Amino acid sequence: MRWTRAALLASTLSILVTTACGAGPSNRPGVAVERPHEAGSVQTTAPGEPAPPAPEVPKADLAWHDCTAPTFSLLSLGAMPQGLVLECAEYTTQVDIGGNVSGNFRNAAMRARYDRTPKDVAPLILTSGADRSSTATLAGLAAGPASALLAARPIIAVDRRGVGSSQPITCMTDPLRKTLADQAQFTRGATDPVDAVSTAARDATVACLDFLAPAQAVFDSPHAADDIEQLRKQLQVDHLALLGSGTGATVALNYARKYGDHVGRLVLDSPQAVGLDANGRTEQRVKGQEAALTAYAQRCASLNCSLGADPRAAIIDLMNRAGAGQLGDLSAAALVTTLNGYLGDSRAQGNPQLTEFADALSALGRGDHGPITPFVLRAAAAIANDGQFVNRCSDNHEPSTPDKARGLETTWGTQYPIFGKVAAIDLMLCSAWPAATPLTQPDKFNQPVLVLGGSADPVTGEDGRPTVTGALNAAGARTATVVWQGWGHPTFAHSGCAQQALADYLTDAKLPEDGTACPA
């Protein structure tokens, strides 16, 4: 495993800190592109419509090796569930199947199962895109209450190029990488942080484009879909069951567009909105982050946690103090990354984990950085690598401008007091990267599609689902949405109710009632 590189990267960033299923009505707003909900009965195959092809058991396999213990150790996942098996492997993909760029790339995959999981069932393929390592997402899921899902079938996660355990991309210097990860030196001086991040992003873009030449254009979602297709061929199956979470839903939609004949089941978990520019996508994510933090604070208060009677106000105070340089070398940007890492963790966050994080934040407020340090390092290591920068920017169509970001820095800083200002400045991270062509949605796809989402999703927000189901409906698909009334990402990792809907759909393509609500 090459996750050791991420762990080493975390150490270089250490100066940041030392220096139950219920159905109910859906409250989703209707949008012009979305057909009316088909409420009432469970949706199976429509009359006269052929049943979708069933995913198949692989006829060939990858060279898997056990990586359970090192994965749990590296990601600090705690005790390993009895009987859980994590297996890692690599497979080779063409850099560009169109032949415009020659060469191969080494992609990483992880398979999660239990020792009792049947061997004669088709696996579920998972991609969490560029916002999270797919293999780390799966490992977090496996460490939580997912025994029913994994006991029924294995799940195979595929990392994006340069992300997680896939062949790494190293195109920046350490100082430049740190500059992009931490806005501390900008938020406390006279330098305009938008201009400063724009300048650093330009330098990073030049460095990475030069490093990648002539393969600069092969790290977008369509190429990630090609990598999943090459996995399908190596497994020697005709049809896959595919789950895309977060920006991985964009990869899954691209797979359906390019290789729809090979889709047996398609699940989209917390997809980002279709048709928005960078400003719109970011604001949706910030709304989700604020909603998740509010839900966390409410639960924290109900447990009489150490953050006091109003945990949200206590966290806002920490954010203001970080921005003013009053928390040592822990910047507002690093604190936001830490909050996002906790709120968006695929591991289950029970009461002990909730109070542990609250205690760490409380200690930080008293000047004790020790308890928060592991959270900061883990969150930084999860996102601060060159591959995620390249993948994120490769999918960034209609980027923001410095003038717009400056305006949003003020507006969002007031409207979204915890996450808004940092998010506005971060709009500049991909401002110098060549703008991507807006991604094309499937124009013909007539299978049932399951869409999952949470009411407080900190990775993509909640408002993107209607635009995605609308695009699928226009392509001929039938969709059903299951909404978990809790906070976290992805939905299927946190909700047993959503897992049950997913398991039923994978078995016989049965969609639940559209608008099903799963209680938190």
Side-chain angles (χ1 to χ4, degrees):
M1 292 180 66
R2 282 182 308 282
W3 278 345
T4 303
R5 176 176 174 274
L8 291 174
L9 175 60
S11 67
T12 68
L13 294 174
S14 64
I15 54 177
L16 299 181
V17 294
T18 61
T19 357
C21 183
S26 170
N27 293 322
R28 295 187 298 132
V31 295
V33 295
E34 187 177 31
R35 296 188 311 198
H37 295 313
E38 299 172 8
S41 60
V42 170
Q43 302 179 47
T44 55
T45 304
E49 178 182 279
E56 296 119 18
V57 179
K59 300 180 183 67
D61 222 335
L62 304 182
W64 299 106
H65 65 275
D66 187 278
C67 57
T68 314
T71 298
F72 267 68
S73 175
L74 183 61
L75 298 179
S76 302
L77 296 176
M80 294 178 289
Q82 185 174 4
L84 176 68
V85 180
L86 300 182
E87 297 162 300
C88 295
E90 295 177 341
Y91 69 101
T92 301
T93 63
Q94 289 178 265
V95 169
D96 181 33
I97 62 171
N100 297 315
V101 182
S102 61
N104 296 320
F105 208 88
R106 192 170 65 249
N107 279 71
M110 174 186 284
R111 181 170 66 185
R113 61 181 178 84
Y114 280 90
D115 52 12
R116 62 184 182 276
T117 302
K119 297 182 179 180
D120 58 349
V121 293
L124 173 63
I125 310 300
L126 166 68
T127 171
S128 57
D131 44 29
R132 293 292 188 274
S133 161
S134 301
T135 50
T137 296
L138 177 57
L141 164 73
S147 58
L149 190 60
L150 286 176
R153 69 181 65 243
I155 301 177
I156 298 176
V158 181
D159 278 332
R160 285 277 289 259
R161 299 179 179 189
V163 175
S165 295
S166 287
Q167 182 176 329
I169 299 170
T170 307
C171 54
M172 300 184 215
T173 63
D174 285 343
L176 183 56
R177 194 176 296 115
K178 178 184 181 299
T179 297
L180 293 178
D182 184 18
Q183 300 167 6
Q185 63 269 49
F186 306 139
T187 55
R188 299 173 193 167
T191 302
D192 182 334
V194 170
D195 282 344
V197 174
S198 295
T199 299
R202 182 190 62 215
D203 293 343
T205 295
V206 170
C208 290
L209 291 180
D210 286 349
F211 175 84
L212 295 171
Q216 303 98 321
V218 300
F219 293 89
D220 57 7
S221 290
H223 283 86
D226 295 338
D227 292 345
I228 292 176
E229 172 62 4
Q230 292 185 68
L231 173 64
R232 181 194 68 79
K233 292 179 178 179
Q234 294 205 33
L235 296 178
Q236 295 183 20
V237 296
D238 290 329
H239 302 95
L240 291 176
L242 181 59
L243 188 158
S245 68
T247 59
T250 305
V251 176
L253 285 169
N254 270 276
Y255 188 86
R257 176 178 63 85
K258 300 180 74 173
Y259 307 106
D261 290 343
H262 294 297
V263 176
R265 303 287 186 272
L266 180 60
V267 184
L268 307 177
D269 189 328
S270 311
Q272 68 178 8
V274 169
L276 288 183
D277 62 9
N279 300 327
R281 294 191 303 273
T282 300
E283 185 170 19
Q284 286 197 345
R285 183 174 68 251
V286 170
K287 287 180 179 178
Q289 291 165 344
E290 293 279 347
L293 195 282
T294 297
Y296 166 83
Q298 291 171 345
R299 186 168 159 195
C300 194
S302 71
L303 295 172
N304 294 317
C305 72
S306 59
L307 287 172
D310 191 346
R312 179 179 171 84
I315 294 172
I316 291 175
D317 178 65
L318 286 174
M319 187 62 60
N320 292 336
R321 291 169 61 189
Q326 297 173 3
L327 295 181
D329 285 335
L330 181 65
S331 70
L335 183 53
V336 162
T337 297
T338 304
L339 291 170
N340 286 338
Y342 175 81
L343 295 172
D345 199 323
S346 61
R347 294 174 293 178
Q349 303 290 1
N351 291 344
Q353 291 77 25
L354 186 149
T355 54
E356 179 190 19
F357 189 58
D359 291 345
L361 291 172
S362 298
L364 176 63
R366 297 190 302 269
D368 180 3
H369 287 229
I372 200 68
T373 297
F375 292 97
V376 176
L377 294 179
R378 186 161 57 236
I383 64 169
N385 69 71
D386 300 0
Q388 282 176 303
F389 170 77
V390 169
N391 279 274
R392 173 182 175 181
C393 293
S394 294
D395 282 337
N396 188 49
H397 61 86
E398 299 184 66
S400 190
T401 65
D403 286 344
K404 184 65 175 178
R406 286 189 199 93
L408 292 175
E409 183 185 359
T410 300
T411 302
W412 289 356
T414 301
Q415 190 172 0
Y416 312 114
I418 298 174
F419 301 96
K421 183 175 182 178
V422 170
I425 298 170
D426 277 351
L427 284 169
M428 293 294 96
L429 289 175
C430 295
S431 58
W433 196 273
T437 302
L439 296 173
T440 304
Q441 302 305 315
D443 58 0
K444 185 178 181 181
F445 190 75
N446 59 1
Q447 293 190 25
V449 180
L450 178 62
V451 181
L452 308 176
S455 59
D457 187 283
V459 174
T460 58
E462 63 175 296
D463 297 334
R465 295 187 298 267
T467 65
V468 173
T469 56
L472 287 167
N473 294 160
R478 291 182 300 106
T479 60
T481 299
V482 174
V483 179
W484 174 50
Q485 297 171 331
W487 59 271
H489 179 90
T491 296
F492 84 101
H494 294 280
S495 169
C497 164
Q499 284 186 24
Q500 186 60 57
L502 172 59
D504 292 343
Y505 168 74
L506 293 174
T507 300
D508 55 16
K510 179 180 68 176
L511 290 176
E513 180 181 346
D514 188 21
T516 294
C518 290

